[in-house]
Amino acid sequence: MKYPKEVNAYCPHCNKHQKHKVRIASKGRARSMAAGTRAHERSLEGHGGKRAGEKTVKKQGKRQKLMLECEQCKKKQERVVGSRTTKKIELKA
Ligand SMILES: [Zn+2]
């Protein structure tokens, strides 16, 4: 899937449409020592059964995420594009 490098999109901080720079959003890494992560790992211990956070069905493909940066106020918004695809999103030259 191809996507333009610049889009005119709504900015909630400027409260109107502005030019936005488009970048592919990268997922941050989970902190292994965070309280929530430790609590979740504790819940996964034990003897089977249905456990929250363990997936039984794997979806094909992922929904691609973009980061839009407003050129006026430099704030960032996340945008999820389209439906699930196995292909990665490409920015048009
Ligand atoms: Zn803005």
Side-chain angles (χ1 to χ4, degrees), residues 3-31:
Y3 206 85
K5 273 185 179 174
E6 277 187 346
V7 286
N8 196 32
Y10 175 73
C11 174
H13 305 281
C14 305
N15 201 25
K16 60 179 178 180
H17 274 68
Q18 299 278 24
K19 244 189 193 178
H20 281 73
K21 267 187 198 165
V22 180
R23 259 193 292 156
I24 295 163
S26 53
K27 203 188 169 191
R29 215 195 302 167
R31 293 178 295 136

Side-chain angles (χ1 to χ4, degrees), residues 75-89:
K75 300 262 185 189
K76 288 169 190 165
Q77 279 94 241
E78 219 176 54
R79 175 179 276 191
V80 178
V81 183
S83 51
R84 291 179 179 272
T85 53
T86 49
K87 282 182 183 171
K88 282 203 171 167
I89 201 160

